[in-house]
């Protein structure tokens, strides 16, 4: 290799390892988990994009314990609200010491807290940081996202874990890349993406206005996925890594759509018409609020336990009034109340939990529940994560999802279908490129097709 070729290889960032050989790999891990962890520990700064229920929590804890043993330092584990106590319980189950802190002081070798309390902590107190459900990073805008990236930039060992990395826009992977100290977000866009000059929409990032939309350059597609695989590993099931799927077969998922007709004309209209614009859709949701909530109450009644996902505060308040034995978790509640009610639901003390996906749709394990209702939104990630709270590895019963829609939300469901296809394409390409790089045999590829719900395929 010539001197110039060596220079190009260094610039490619394809072989930058800043970690160490694993010091502890417990026997209770599955083979595919050991394989992922061995790579992530050696990598030092890595991302694990694994589907829900594949054991990211225990992998994050084992990764953190290895960093503690190697550096004799401390690790901070960031998680969504309500997930910290699950991490502590998971650590106790596998004999890993993990404690929670809400005051900014390390509570143990592995300290867990929620993202909203990050500003209380000092990065100099830690040698490692783990971001659980790291796709939440892109939901934070402005100062919050910059604070998280800046905090991580001062820490030598970093791990991101999420089930849905960039489900509908490839360039959102730039958020993870920047947090890991790889290419910055703007560098990702300028290197692999092309700006659609006909689109005048703008958004702000790091104090700069950037035109969107950005689309992946055709000739750069292979190099883009090769680069992502240099700092990330992805799998939807163990067979994506060449391992056996036997213990990771999901029960049946049944998605049922119930349309609610609007019986009142929209504001300014003489007759009932179908909603088309976003403003009309919102007006239709308001007009049908009572009928939609009554249908939800009817659907949850025969089930021993249910989750009711809502989108509007008015929906949550009305649902709590008309559904017996229900408890709501809303934005108005303190973090302490949210976590208390989440624990009560997991513990079987609450029959019906009413909340929003942005509050309890990330990181929670609700395998004890096999029924949910939801009002659809344009966010595929919120839909995907909400369903996966129950329909995940470890669920023993078929899961029923009742979607209550209005006639005007036909386009919402079509939009979800489009995003579902994009998410599947992203994972397929990422897994294929990863297998090419790792020379993984596909002889044992999981050959059972996942059947999409009828409301998505129509």
């Amino acid at each position: 290799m010539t001197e110039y070729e060596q220079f190009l290889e260094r610039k490619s960032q394809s072989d930058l390892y800043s970690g160490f050989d694993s010091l502890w790999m417990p026997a209770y891990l599955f083979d595919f988990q050991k394989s992922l962890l061995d790579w992530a520990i050696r990598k030092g700064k890595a991302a694990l994009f694994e589907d829900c229920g594949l054991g990211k929590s225990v992998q994050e804890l084992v990764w953190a314990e290895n960093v503690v043993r190697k550096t004799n330092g401390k690790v901070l584990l960031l998680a969504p609200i309500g997930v910290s106590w699950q991490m502590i319980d998971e650590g106790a189950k596998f004999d890993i010491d993990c404690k929670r802190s809400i005051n900014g002081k390390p509570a143990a070798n592995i300290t867990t807290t929620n993202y909203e309390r990050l500003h209380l902590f000092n990065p100099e107190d830690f040698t490692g940081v783990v971001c659980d459900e790291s796709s939440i990073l892109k939901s934070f805008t402005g100062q919050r996202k910059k604070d998280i990236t800046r905090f991580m930039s001062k820490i030598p060992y970093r791990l991101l874990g999420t089930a849905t990395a960039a489900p509908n826009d490839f360039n959102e992977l730039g958020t993870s890349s920047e947090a890991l100290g790889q290419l910055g977000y703007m560098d990702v866009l300028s290197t692999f993406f092309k700006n659609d000059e006909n689109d005048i929409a703008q958004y702000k990032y790091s104090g700069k206005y950037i035109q969107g939309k950005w689309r992946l350059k055709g000739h750069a597609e292979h190099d883009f996925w090769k680069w992502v695989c240099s700092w990330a590993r992805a799998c939807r099931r163990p067979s994506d890594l060449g391992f056996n799927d036997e213990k990771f077969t999901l029960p049946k998922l049944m998605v049922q759509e119930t349309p609610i007709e609007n019986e009142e004309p929209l504001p300014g209209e003489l007759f009932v018409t179908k909603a088309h614009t976003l403003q009309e859709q919102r007006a239709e949701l308001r007009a049908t609020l009572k009928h939609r909530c009554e249908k939800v109450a009817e659907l949850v009644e025969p089930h021993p336990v249910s989750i009711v996902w809502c989108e509007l505060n008015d929906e949550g308040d009305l649902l709590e009034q008309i559904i017996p034995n229900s408890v709501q978790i809303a934005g108005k509640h303190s973090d302490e109340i949210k976590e208390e009610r989440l624990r009560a639901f997991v513990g079987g003390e609450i029959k019906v939990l009413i909340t929003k996906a942005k509050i309890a749709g990330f990181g929670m394990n609700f395998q004890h529940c096999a029924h949910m209702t939801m009002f659809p939104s344009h966010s595929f990630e919120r839909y995907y994560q909400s369903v996966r709270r129950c329909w995940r590895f470890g669920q023993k019963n078929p899961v029923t999802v009742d979607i209550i829609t209005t006639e005007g939300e036909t386009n919402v469901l079509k939009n979800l279908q489009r995003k579902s296809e994009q998410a599947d394409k992203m994972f397929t390409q990422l897994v294929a490129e990863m297998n090419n790089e790792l020379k993984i045999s596909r002889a044992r590829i999981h050959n059972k097709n996942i059947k999409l719900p009828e409301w998505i395929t129509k």
Side-chain angles (χ1 to χ4, degrees), residues 11 13 174 177-179 181-188 191-192 227:
K11 294 289 285 184
Q13 298 188 332
S177 169
E178 186 166 7
Q182 295 284 331
L183 288 178
Y185 186 80
M186 283 302 300
D187 294 323
V188 174
T191 302
F192 299 108
W227 167 73

Side-chain angles (χ1 to χ4, degrees), residues 344-441:
F345 179 64
V346 172
E349 301 171 29
I350 296 174
K351 178 181 185 294
V352 179
L353 179 67
I354 304 166
T355 189
K356 296 180 180 179
K358 64 182 180 180
I359 294 176
F362 291 82
M364 301 302 300
N365 298 326
F366 296 147
Q367 288 100 325
H368 73 294
C369 176
H371 176 254
M372 68 178 69
T373 69
M374 64 172 61
F375 305 124
S377 74
H378 285 281
S379 172
F380 168 75
E381 183 175 27
R382 286 215 300 266
Y383 165 77
Y384 178 88
Q385 287 281 9
S386 298
V387 172
R388 285 297 190 143
R389 293 313 95 215
C390 301
W391 193 57
R392 56 194 291 116
F393 297 110
Q395 173 64 259
K396 301 187 186 315
N397 302 306
V399 174
T400 300
V401 179
D402 282 308
I403 300 179
I404 293 83
T405 66
T406 64
E407 289 184 311
E409 290 183 299
T410 304
N411 291 333
V412 176
L413 300 182
K414 289 181 179 178
N415 195 29
L416 284 176
Q417 179 186 358
R418 177 184 63 82
K419 291 179 179 181
S420 175
E421 292 169 353
Q422 284 185 301
D424 186 65
K425 179 181 179 182
M426 188 205 78
F427 262 98
T428 298
Q429 289 180 290
L430 186 51
V431 169
E433 189 60 49
M434 179 184 66
N435 291 338
N436 289 336
E437 289 295 305
L438 301 179
K439 305 297 188 292
I440 293 176
S441 170

Side-chain angles (χ1 to χ4, degrees), residues 286 289-290 293-294 308-324 326-333 341 354-356 375:
R286 294 287 180 186
L289 188 146
K290 182 174 181 292
C293 290
E294 288 174 346
V308 174
W309 301 105
C310 60
E311 294 289 325
L312 306 174
N313 291 333
D314 290 345
E315 292 170 348
D317 293 339
L318 179 57
L319 287 163
E320 190 174 25
Q321 292 176 20
I322 65 176
I323 299 178
S326 66
V327 172
Q328 182 185 187
I329 300 177
K332 62 186 177 184
H333 296 128
R341 293 183 177 182
I354 304 166
T355 189
K356 296 180 180 179
F375 305 124

Side-chain angles (χ1 to χ4, degrees), residues 164-282:
T164 53
N168 51 7
D169 283 305
F170 293 151
N171 58 15
E172 287 175 356
L173 285 166
T175 305
S176 298
S177 169
E178 186 166 7
L180 291 174
Q182 295 284 331
L183 288 178
Y185 186 80
M186 283 302 300
D187 294 323
V188 174
L189 291 179
S190 60
T191 302
F192 299 108
F193 291 80
K194 179 175 177 59
N195 185 274
D196 187 348
E197 297 178 352
N198 294 324
D199 183 5
I200 61 173
Q202 294 182 331
Y203 61 94
K204 193 174 183 181
Y205 181 83
S206 299
K208 301 176 182 178
Y209 281 95
I210 310 166
Q211 277 195 308
K213 302 176 179 177
W214 294 80
R215 51 189 173 83
L216 189 59
K217 298 174 183 176
H219 67 275
E221 191 166 337
H222 171 76
D223 290 332
F224 174 72
W225 292 115
K226 182 177 180 180
W227 167 73
V228 171
C229 288
S230 70
W231 51 267
R233 291 288 183 265
C235 69
R236 291 163 294 188
R237 57 192 70 88
S239 58
D240 286 336
L241 299 168
F243 295 95
N244 196 299
D245 288 334
E246 183 181 355
K247 296 183 179 180
F248 290 88
T249 302
L250 287 171
K252 185 177 181 181
L253 176 68
M254 296 170 288
V255 180
Q256 303 169 161
E257 181 187 349
T258 302
I260 301 295
E261 293 185 6
N262 183 17
E263 299 176 354
E264 299 178 9
L266 296 174
E269 300 285 342
L270 290 175
F271 305 100
V272 176
T273 58
K274 187 174 181 179
H276 293 285
T277 67
L278 184 59
Q279 185 176 2
E280 289 173 344
Q281 288 178 17
R282 288 175 176 171

